[in-house]
Amino acid sequence: MNGPDIPLFKRFKIFWKNVDTTHFRIYSTFKNSYKYLKDVENEISLFCTQRLNDNFPRDYYREFIELILIFLGGSPPRGIKFRQPGAYHLARWMAKAIYCIKILFFSDQFKITTREQNSLDDLCCFIVKCYIQEWITAPNPITAPMNDLLYLKKLMNYHDKLGEVAIKKFLNHLWYLNEECVVFSKFDDRIDNKTKQHLPCDLLTNKSWKIFERFKIRDDFLRADPKIWKDLEEYKEAKQIISSLKIVNDAAERGVKLMEEFNIKFTKSEDQKQFTLQVVQEYRKRYSGCSREVLKKNYKY
């Protein structure tokens, strides 16, 4: 495992060989989960089923969604299967969420205390009701601003203290919801035309329009009625550019993690470390890819 062990997860990983995966519990067998998820079961199940058609950068993204669907009493297209618990890292929330759901699935077989079960029940309820939809839709730059506001509202109305803790953490990251990002809402199909045309002035500043300059986006469509924006080529082009923006730091987190492991395992010499990084940088300049055509080229040294 990566990072310090979480005792409960470690015990469960060791116990996994004894688990009968054909016998598991779903949300309706847990007090809190049933109480707070029964009204959103169909909505979230449908959402998860639809998103399983997406392409994911890692297979455990799909596994996470499938586990949510199974927990709600559904069956994924690939069938009901449970993978052996793998590694987790303290910085990766999703890995811990997967562990929590799996432990709750098999809590009749895996010995846990009443307190642990109640805590897992509360946590899994939060994951299903307040995390899965927001996490999956987070990479979409156009819907992100409105999603963030709706998410804050959801947390404020959440029944448990977990909502209060989440709000405090969430508010620490609102710095990125800046004037430029507000413009993204101009392309959000959920927002009515009147609101798009008259977004509150205190939300839009001179910085808001720099997004058009930065990405060389034509803004002619802004002078037209929002009712006809979808028919305008400049609007379609602008929406495509905005949609392609990367707004989550998942790749950056992976890069940091790989660099941390590299630092520990490769060399303890700072000079050698810096020299290696320079070699890698030079290699990337010379070899722009790893295809057969690129590698067959002759390069001058």
Side-chain angles (χ1 to χ4, degrees), residues 44 93 123 125-138 143-159 162-174 176-177 190:
I44 298 176
W93 159 249
L123 189 54
C125 182
F126 179 83
I127 291 169
V128 174
K129 191 171 184 178
C130 289
Y131 183 74
I132 184 67
Q133 290 173 294
E134 283 68 22
W135 170 75
I136 294 177
T137 57
T143 60
M146 185 174 177
N147 283 349
D148 286 346
L149 297 177
L150 292 175
Y151 187 50
L152 274 174
K153 184 177 180 180
K154 181 185 287 189
L155 292 177
M156 290 176 67
N157 294 325
Y158 194 68
H159 64 275
L162 279 172
E164 298 177 11
V165 175
I167 287 176
K168 290 180 181 178
K169 295 294 290 185
F170 193 80
L171 291 178
N172 290 334
H173 297 277
L174 284 184
Y176 63 83
L177 193 59
R190 298 171 299 174

Side-chain angles (χ1 to χ4, degrees), residues 16-187:
W16 180 257
K17 62 180 180 294
N18 302 311
V19 170
D20 179 359
T21 57
T22 63
H23 291 83
F24 57 91
R25 302 175 65 180
I26 62 174
Y27 89 98
S28 57
T29 65
F30 298 98
K31 182 180 178 180
N32 275 350
S33 290
Y34 179 69
K35 181 178 180 180
Y36 295 109
L37 296 180
K38 60 182 179 180
D39 293 332
V40 296
E41 173 196 338
N42 292 335
E43 174 194 342
I44 298 176
S45 293
L46 178 61
F47 176 84
C48 290
T49 301
Q50 292 173 338
R51 298 317 291 256
L52 283 173
N53 294 319
D54 296 350
N55 293 318
F56 298 101
R58 297 290 184 276
D59 195 49
Y60 59 79
Y61 284 45
R62 182 177 301 278
E63 179 194 9
F64 184 36
I65 300 173
E66 289 177 338
L67 289 175
I68 297 291
L69 189 57
I70 296 170
F71 186 65
L72 291 173
S75 179
R78 299 195 299 185
I80 297 178
K81 299 177 182 179
F82 299 98
R83 298 171 62 178
Q84 180 177 346
Y88 62 87
H89 185 265
L90 292 181
R92 306 297 300 176
W93 159 249
M94 184 169 51
K96 295 194 284 291
I98 289 176
Y99 259 89
C100 290
I101 295 173
K102 285 182 178 178
I103 292 173
L104 207 57
F105 271 133
F106 304 107
S107 55
D108 278 350
Q109 302 178 50
F110 177 60
K111 187 176 181 180
I112 55 177
T113 65
T114 301
R115 181 181 178 183
E116 287 173 331
Q117 179 170 301
N118 290 338
S119 296
L120 288 169
D121 186 10
D122 291 338
L123 189 54
C124 289
C125 182
F126 179 83
I127 291 169
V128 174
K129 191 171 184 178
C130 289
Y131 183 74
I132 184 67
Q133 290 173 294
E134 283 68 22
W135 170 75
I136 294 177
T137 57
N140 188 330
I142 289 177
T143 60
M146 185 174 177
N147 283 349
D148 286 346
L149 297 177
L150 292 175
Y151 187 50
L152 274 174
K153 184 177 180 180
K154 181 185 287 189
L155 292 177
M156 290 176 67
N157 294 325
Y158 194 68
H159 64 275
D160 189 82
K161 62 181 180 181
L162 279 172
E164 298 177 11
V165 175
I167 287 176
K168 290 180 181 178
K169 295 294 290 185
F170 193 80
L171 291 178
N172 290 334
H173 297 277
L174 284 184
W175 56 268
Y176 63 83
L177 193 59
N178 54 37
E179 299 98 320
E180 289 188 358
C181 292
V182 173
V183 179
F184 294 173
S185 297
K186 291 276 190 182
F187 303 92

Side-chain angles (χ1 to χ4, degrees), residues 183-202:
V183 179
F184 294 173
S185 297
K186 291 276 190 182
F187 303 92
D188 194 334
D189 294 333
R190 298 171 299 174
I191 299 177
D192 62 82
N193 293 328
K194 184 177 180 180
T195 303
K196 284 184 179 180
Q197 192 167 26
H198 303 289
L199 277 173
C201 295
D202 55 344

Side-chain angles (χ1 to χ4, degrees), residues 220-285:
D220 301 355
F221 69 90
L222 292 172
R223 289 181 279 277
D225 191 320
K227 292 180 181 179
I228 65 170
W229 282 1
K230 292 183 178 180
D231 299 322
L232 302 177
E233 287 302 319
E234 55 266 35
Y235 173 80
K236 296 177 183 178
E237 180 182 318
K239 188 172 184 178
Q240 184 176 7
I241 293 173
I242 297 297
S243 297
S244 66
L245 298 179
K246 303 296 183 183
I247 61 170
V248 293
N249 65 347
D250 187 68
E253 287 182 359
R254 293 184 184 282
V256 170
K257 181 62 175 63
L258 287 172
M259 195 61 210
E260 288 176 350
E261 292 182 347
F262 171 81
N263 284 344
I264 295 172
K265 298 177 180 179
F266 187 74
T267 178
K268 294 182 180 180
S269 169
E270 183 62 29
D271 290 340
Q272 287 298 316
K273 192 183 303 178
Q274 294 301 323
F275 177 73
T276 303
L277 291 175
Q278 291 174 19
V279 171
V280 171
Q281 185 179 36
E282 181 62 25
Y283 181 89
R284 293 281 176 85
K285 289 180 181 179

